[in-house]
Amino acid sequence: MFIRAKETINKTTGAIYTKHQLVESIRTENGPRQRIVMDLGSLNLDKSKWPQLAKAIALKLSNSPTLFKFDSEIEKLSSDAVSHFDFIKTDSEDKSVRKDESLYKEIDLNSTSVTSVKSLGNELVALSFMEKLKLDEILENLNLKKRQVNLAKAVIAARLIKPGSDLAAFNFIKENSSLAEILDLDDLKKDEIYDIADTLLINKSFIEKNLNEHQNLLFSHDRSILLYDLTNTYFEGKASSNKLAKYGRSKEKRSDCLLVTLALVVDKLGLPIYSKIYSGNQSEPVTLKDILEELDKYSNTLFDSIKPTVIFDRGIATKENLELLSTRCYPYIVVERSQGKGEYLEEFKDESSFTKIKRDDTQDSTDQDSNTQDIEVLVKKVNSTDKVTKILAISKGRRLKEAAIDEKKETGYKNEINTIASLIEKGRLVDTEKIMLRLGRLQQKYSGISHHYEITITKKDEKITGLNILKLKSKSDKESLYGCYIITTTHTDLSAEAIWKLYMTLTKVENAFKSLKTDLGLRPIYHQLAKRTEAHLFISVLAYYLLSAIELQLRNNNDSRTFNTIKETLDTHIRCTIMVTDKDSNIYHIRTSSVAEPKHTQIYDILNVKDITRRKTRLIGHL
């Protein structure tokens, strides 16, 4: 494509006008010809930049992603041109319809104003993916009334678009979103939000199973790998009547709060399969039996009667669970608990026998908090039998992290010992029983460090007068095992690298938890009743069904953006009411959607989303 200037002469005044056109060359039966793509009007741009503008417009028209950056002037001119082109195109397509439905009025332009602005873009995406996953059909099969179906859709969409509490969802649907208008919920009541959440929870098993079937049909992919993990989130408030609210080990470092646990199974693309809610003090290993029993119900519909490989982390990898998997004929890939590493100490020390894997876009799930994606990982296959094989793995990133953690603990231990010694020396701590009690607590607090040190006590007249701390022995053996772990698997035929890469897909379930917590309002929990807590968590999971499908479709179209990113872009596509007054002082309200800008239409095209809203004109009154 290229830009050309065309001069025209006003026959009355003789004035010469220049207009610009975007033109492309095409082949015809009569040879090469030029076709006008669009009129650009009078273009105030240096001619040397015309090729850049032509390229920018062509890319926007084709929705083609590009790494090439145009300057602000080119970007604005190209966006304005495509926006005008889309408007003219839509106007032309709707012309015949409008001709039959035309309503001509002579209006006072100065009377025009806009009111009742509601968000629209993200709602269109959410409702479109509910349609793709056949959510209406699933809910109707539960004999829910039309209003209940629409309520469910509104609540799930609200959690996706504006995550928060159930009260926040009510306010969003009622005040800020076009959901109430599209789904005919203008008279929405707050209690209806809680009621539909309870209804969805009661039918959790049916909804998830059917969502999975439709999800599988939508993307038609291999589900031979399942990833399983648990996370927890915390409560705000006492939650004293909530049987799920228990103290436990918080994965968000909020052990000061009551917790609730969510178990989640996803496939290797990150699409959810099954979820279950437990109390906050739930022991991780015992949950596996529940999950396997549920997965058995999916065998005929999702797994073609072939047992998928289950992958999970060391917290669940007990000896009993590995036996359970074998008994139920589930292949597995797991990381063993740390105690077994010492058996392979000499092999871990000899890194020359390991195979190096350069980490690219796959992050080591044992190294989630480390920004060391480019540091190598070493793997080695050992102890292969007919039934299981072990892979020794060394993560250099994890090694740095574990060394730093130990160093921090060691410094803390020595500082606290020195503090006690200082108090004794100053005479502020003299009671022998209290001194020994404090030392005992430190031994327990720093159990992984304290046995490397010897504390000697000096006394005078049976009173403790000082402490000395002496490093007993080297930690060389422990340091040699920093960053080391052992993967056990039933896939004895695969190479060490292949097994490691399969295990690394476990990051998909960790990414799912991250999305649930940061993007879908999973934390904190405000509900004081267990049933409401479960309903809140389940709605977040349902919203994740949408989010994961949206992001997968983006990736399938070579678009690396997340839903959070496109959500910001679509915020500016709105629905509003235009108020005008005609010459007879009649007041009209025109309810309409804003014209989608190129940045909106690009997303809609990738996700195959259509604007389902219609323009409505009403005579409101008379001045």
Side-chain angles (χ1 to χ4, degrees), residues 233-299:
T233 188
Y234 60 93
F235 287 85
E236 289 286 1
K238 295 182 178 179
S240 55
S241 301
N242 194 327
K243 65 181 182 182
L244 292 174
K246 304 290 182 182
Y247 285 106
R249 181 177 174 274
S250 172
K251 299 195 176 185
E252 300 167 313
K253 312 302 181 187
R254 291 302 307 269
S255 298
D256 59 314
C257 300
L258 292 164
L259 308 172
V260 62
T261 300
L262 173 67
L264 186 66
V265 180
V266 305
D267 64 23
K268 63 182 179 182
L269 296 178
L271 297 175
I273 303 291
Y274 175 71
S275 65
K276 189 172 177 65
I277 298 155
Y278 294 97
S279 61
N281 61 351
Q282 178 64 46
S283 169
E284 292 188 358
V286 300
T287 64
L288 184 64
K289 184 178 179 181
D290 295 340
I291 299 303
L292 294 181
E293 287 177 355
E294 194 63 33
L295 291 180
D296 283 340
K297 301 175 185 177
Y298 286 64
S299 295

Side-chain angles (χ1 to χ4, degrees), residues 372-485:
T372 54
Q373 285 92 333
D374 294 328
I375 296 179
E376 67 189 13
V377 172
L378 309 177
V379 293
K380 178 181 179 180
K381 193 171 184 178
V382 295
N383 287 3
S384 183
T385 68
D386 291 340
K387 292 185 177 181
V388 296
T389 191
K390 294 180 185 286
I391 306 299
L392 305 185
I394 304 172
S395 166
K396 295 299 183 72
R398 183 69 183 179
R399 173 169 288 177
L400 293 172
K401 181 181 176 182
E402 289 182 0
I405 290 172
D406 256 16
E407 184 178 353
K408 184 178 179 180
K409 287 180 180 179
E410 193 169 353
T411 300
Y413 178 69
K414 290 190 290 186
N415 286 343
E416 291 199 42
I417 291 292
N418 290 332
T419 298
I420 295 174
S422 176
L423 291 173
I424 293 171
E425 186 179 342
K426 293 176 181 177
R428 293 171 60 185
L429 183 60
V430 296
D431 188 284
T432 300
E433 187 175 343
K434 288 183 178 180
I435 293 171
M436 298 308 295
L437 181 62
R438 289 186 65 164
L439 290 175
R441 286 174 177 170
L442 278 185
Q443 298 289 99
Q444 186 177 14
K445 181 179 178 181
Y446 295 98
S447 57
I449 298 294
S450 58
H451 62 276
H452 293 294
Y453 290 86
E454 182 181 272
I455 299 173
T456 57
I457 299 173
T458 57
K459 291 184 178 182
K460 185 176 182 181
D461 299 331
E462 299 302 320
K463 289 187 177 181
I464 297 176
T465 58
L467 295 178
N468 291 306
I469 183 169
L470 176 66
K471 193 167 185 177
L472 266 184
K473 55 184 176 180
S474 169
K475 296 188 298 176
S476 59
D477 287 354
K478 183 177 181 181
E479 290 169 349
S480 296
L481 293 175
Y482 283 155
C484 299
Y485 52 97

